Amino acid sequence: MGQTNIRYTDESINTAFSAFYVIPEYQREYVWEKTQVKQLMEDLLDAYTSDKSKAYFLGTIVTCSANGDFELVDGQQRLTTFFIILCIVKKLYAEYGIPTASIDQLICGTSLNQYGVPVTRYRLELQHQNVTNCLELIAKGEPRPSDVSKTGGRLFDAAEVVEQFMRDNFADITAFGPFAAFLLYKSSFVRIDTQNVVDALKMFETINERGKNLDPIDLLKNMLFTNVQPNQFVALNTEWKSVINELERIDEKPLRFLRYFIMAKYDVSKEPNGVLREDRIFAWLKANKKQCPYASAPFKFVQGMKDSASFYANCKKPANSWGGGY
């Protein structure tokens, strides 16, 4: 049998954060809201109280090895949240007077740069604009900046939810310590690592193709990137972000817009009653590659989305309003 370029490893939080992870700009930003972070904490607490000796499985993450780092393709929401959890564990340990060295090394580490010089780095690096220093501020226990972006705000929200949850459920280090150990050693997932980013994107699609973890807008974005060369990622991401920015300007949900866009531009007559439901979008995209050119002409397809999003946004919320009668 030939060698495979895909590696599977079982990881705990403790072993996972002995490595360095990079979330490239073309990946979606941190989108978890407070409710999702709180749900994760509640799930972890339920698993801990049910049987603290049993591992709690968090699913899979997909990475692509690059220059000694792991580029995250899938799982960045969970891994980012766990990095924040580590920062809060460190904060509470410091308050309790417990040495934080074991936690520190999971938050920061040393690696060699391109010149062979040791540099100290955070274990998780975000490359999205306006959030590059947010995790560093959280790790240092710094307050939320007044001019933080929406994504940065969600990161600080997550930190506040985690800290409040831990303070509400654990009165002292005697109660908190065993839970922290459970988080580090019993929270587990499988890391699927490839040597090629396109292979990683295809693996991402395979894992999520039934819409179990992501909504169709994220799966569509992945399919678009699968059909361009890596050196085109930045350009395609710029166009994609233009679509999302237009929708954010009018507080429109991207998934709802995508449904409107498909129904307006393409033939959905084979759907029941000629109506495409949101939970059918991904299946429809997979079955209609010929009429919907997201695979054959991804830039053209995104440009069409961009033009429609701009027109839709201007109709829903005109930039210039007369503010009166005729």
Side-chain angles (χ1 to χ4, degrees), residues 243 302-312:
V243 176
V302 174
Q303 183 62 52
M305 287 186 66
K306 180 179 175 182
D307 293 341
S308 295
S310 179
F311 180 78
Y312 178 60

Side-chain angles (χ1 to χ4, degrees), residues 223-242:
M223 290 190 292
L224 291 166
F225 277 91
T226 302
N227 288 284
V228 300
Q229 296 300 313
N231 61 6
Q232 298 175 299
F233 283 1
V234 173
L236 183 58
N237 189 60
T238 299
E239 295 300 295
W240 180 266
K241 287 182 71 174
S242 296

Side-chain angles (χ1 to χ4, degrees), residues 128-311:
H128 303 109
Q129 293 180 355
N130 302 321
V131 300
T132 52
N133 70 329
C134 287
L135 290 183
E136 179 179 355
L137 294 175
I138 292 170
K140 292 180 177 179
E142 299 288 338
R144 179 194 304 245
S146 58
D147 60 345
V148 71
S149 65
K150 286 185 178 180
T151 301
R154 286 191 285 266
L155 292 168
F156 280 94
D157 286 345
E160 291 171 5
V161 168
V162 171
E163 181 175 348
Q164 191 60 53
F165 184 90
M166 290 181 174
R167 293 188 186 279
D168 289 344
N169 286 280
F170 303 99
D172 51 37
I173 188 59
T174 302
F176 178 65
F179 180 66
F182 175 83
L183 293 175
L184 294 178
Y185 300 110
K186 294 299 182 180
S187 299
S188 68
F189 55 87
V190 173
R191 181 171 64 206
I192 304 173
D193 184 55
T194 74
Q195 303 299 305
N196 182 285
V197 69
V198 175
D199 289 342
L201 288 167
K202 289 178 179 177
M203 180 65 69
F204 167 95
E205 182 179 332
T206 300
I207 292 171
N208 292 286
E209 66 180 352
R210 287 174 178 79
K212 198 170 183 180
N213 298 319
L214 299 175
D215 66 36
I217 199 76
D218 295 304
L219 292 165
L220 170 61
K221 182 181 179 182
N222 179 77
M223 290 190 292
L224 291 166
F225 277 91
T226 302
N227 288 284
V228 300
Q229 296 300 313
N231 61 6
Q232 298 175 299
F233 283 1
V234 173
L236 183 58
N237 189 60
T238 299
E239 295 300 295
W240 180 266
K241 287 182 71 174
S242 296
V243 176
I244 301 303
N245 289 341
E246 281 294 309
L247 299 176
E248 286 184 347
R249 180 166 71 85
I250 57 172
D251 297 321
E252 179 59 270
K253 295 179 179 179
L255 182 57
R256 183 163 58 186
F257 166 77
L258 177 60
R259 176 171 173 264
Y260 293 161
F261 174 75
I262 291 174
M263 291 184 65
K265 296 276 288 186
Y266 304 105
D267 180 9
V268 297
S269 60
K270 293 183 179 180
E271 293 297 301
N273 300 316
V275 176
L276 179 63
R277 301 197 318 265
E278 288 187 356
D279 61 359
R280 281 278 305 157
I281 290 176
F282 181 65
W284 185 92
L285 287 168
K286 294 281 285 186
N288 287 274
K289 287 185 178 181
K290 289 185 178 180
Q291 67 158 319
C292 186
Y294 64 86
S296 59
F299 277 95
K300 181 179 179 180
F301 178 78
V302 174
Q303 183 62 52
M305 287 186 66
K306 180 179 175 182
D307 293 341
S308 295
S310 179
F311 180 78

Side-chain angles (χ1 to χ4, degrees), residues 52-122:
K52 66 183 68 175
S53 66
K54 184 179 179 181
Y56 179 70
F57 184 59
L58 293 163
T60 61
I61 67 171
V62 180
T63 62
C64 175
S65 296
N67 301 318
D69 296 342
F70 290 106
E71 185 175 296
L72 269 168
V73 173
D74 185 28
Q76 60 264 42
Q77 306 297 314
R78 282 166 291 149
L79 210 64
T80 300
T81 305
F82 262 99
F83 182 87
I84 292 171
I85 290 173
L86 287 173
C87 295
I88 301 304
V89 170
K90 174 187 173 180
K91 180 178 181 178
L92 295 181
Y93 266 36
E95 288 184 13
Y96 291 133
I98 304 299
T100 63
S102 59
I103 307 298
D104 290 335
Q105 66 184 4
L106 300 178
I107 295 173
C108 281
T110 302
S111 67
L112 299 180
N113 66 13
Q114 58 182 326
Y115 305 108
V117 178
V119 293
T120 300
R121 302 168 52 198
Y122 286 96

